[in-house]
Amino acid sequence: MFVAGDGPARVGWRAGDAILDLANAGLGDVFAAHELNPFLALGRNAWEDAIGRIESHLVSGRGPVLPLDDVELTLPFRVADYVDFYSSLEHASNLGRLFRPDADPLLPNWRHLPVGYHGRAGTVVVSGTPVVRPCGQSLSPGADRPEFGPSRRLDIELELGFVVGVGSRRGEPVPVDDFADHVFGVVLVNDWSARDIQAWEYQPLGPFLGKSFATSVSAWVTPLALLAEGRVEAPPQEPEPLPYLAGGRDWGLDVELEVELNGAVVSRGNARGLYWTMPQQLAHATVNGASVRTGDLMASGTISGAERGSEGSLIELTGNGAEPLQLPDGTARTFLEDGDEVVLRGRAGSAELGEVRGRVLPAVCRPGAER
Ligand code: MN
């Protein structure tokens, strides 16, 4: 979605550095909407038909086409519900070791179900939106009581999320094999995380204020249809999951990923190693009878590889702050400083995913909030 001048948000199709203005291309009334949701609700046949017509429209050189630089990008869809999973074996193991050094890094449930939590849909923001450093409670090492103030351990999480187009009915779980009938496409996600707030608050009910202040997504949703050449077999699962989670292994996604911090690439990884696939995540999220709806966003969890330099968060890249990253500008980083800019990038074959960009602004801890 984009805004040109003072007008309302319009649906666009990105082709390199240009945008096809779908609201004015004569390709259907559904594109006159000011958000993608009505189109998302139409379903797979309509999606594939529209993509075919858009591509032939572009091949024949028809417009209207606008330069990417001339528009402001906006949130591409109205986010209904937001779920974040924890599907990278390497990330879950790395964090388990950091947060619970004396225990088995993987909790007993991890290999049996895609662990997740419900996040805050209302604070999902589009790429380019600045992120204000959050304030909150944390417990300093050795302290016997928490203090209130700006997070000192602001981090990123590199993730891939899927966007639900066609909802499901309450009481009717979505089988693994029906994934592509419900899901339109994917976005890159930066799940900004305040590690100090998170570490103090997360037990026993999981992430809360350490995550809910902002989650950034790309301004472009890449349709599943354009990821066909990136589909690969996901890694083997041991033990075999329960029958409702069996299958969906042909939805590994060979998406090359990159994290850039202040202009320097600090991590390179790939989404193909994720232990739980998107169809398994959707099947799990609905197996209890919960329904999904148009605009639901479900993110993978941080994508980390086994090699050094392929981790999707600073807490992992820096060994919990013990090994700072040396940046080419001569500075070093453990966690994010005010003014830092992070860009996430992804590519699946010839399809480049929309980037996720965000700059950290200084905290504004409201007077009185600590009383
Ligand atoms: Mn996350």
Side-chain angles (χ1 to χ4, degrees), residues 325-345:
L325 290 173
Q326 304 297 328
L327 301 181
D329 64 6
T331 63
R333 285 292 182 285
T334 50
F335 294 93
L336 295 171
E337 296 186 5
D338 293 344
D340 282 354
E341 185 177 57
V342 176
V343 184
L344 310 182
R345 293 199 171 85

Side-chain angles (χ1 to χ4, degrees), residues 88 90-95 97-98 155-159 195 257-260 265-270 301-320 323 325 344:
S88 157
E90 291 77 11
H91 173 71
S93 305
N94 289 340
L95 251 64
R97 277 190 286 271
L98 293 174
D155 199 354
I156 57 155
E157 291 194 340
L158 164 66
E159 309 194 11
R195 300 299 179 195
L257 298 162
E258 219 172 72
V259 179
E260 194 182 282
V265 175
V266 296
S267 173
R268 283 194 177 88
N270 194 300
T302 309
I303 304 170
S304 293
E307 308 80 34
R308 287 312 310 265
S310 67
E311 300 92 339
S313 68
L314 292 173
I315 192 170
E316 293 167 87
L317 285 164
T318 67
N320 200 18
E323 304 157 43
L325 290 173
L344 310 182

Side-chain angles (χ1 to χ4, degrees), residues 82 84-86 91 117 157 159 191 193 211 299-302:
Y82 165 46
D84 195 20
F85 287 97
Y86 196 49
H91 173 71
Y117 67 95
E157 291 194 340
E159 309 194 11
D191 176 24
S193 298
K211 303 273 194 176
S300 57
T302 309

Side-chain angles (χ1 to χ4, degrees), residues 4 47 62 78 97 109 128 147 188 227 229 239 246 266 320 339:
W47 303 335
R62 281 176 290 164
R78 185 161 35 88
R97 277 190 286 271
N109 59 2
E147 54 186 357
L188 278 178
L227 293 175
E229 60 179 302
V266 296
N320 200 18

Side-chain angles (χ1 to χ4, degrees), residues 12-16 18-22 25 27 50-66:
W13 177 271
R14 181 168 171 186
I19 297 173
L20 175 62
D21 177 4
L22 290 178
L27 288 167
I51 291 166
R53 285 186 297 124
I54 288 166
E55 286 179 336
S56 50
H57 188 95
L58 284 168
V59 166
S60 66
R62 281 176 290 164
V65 168
L66 302 163

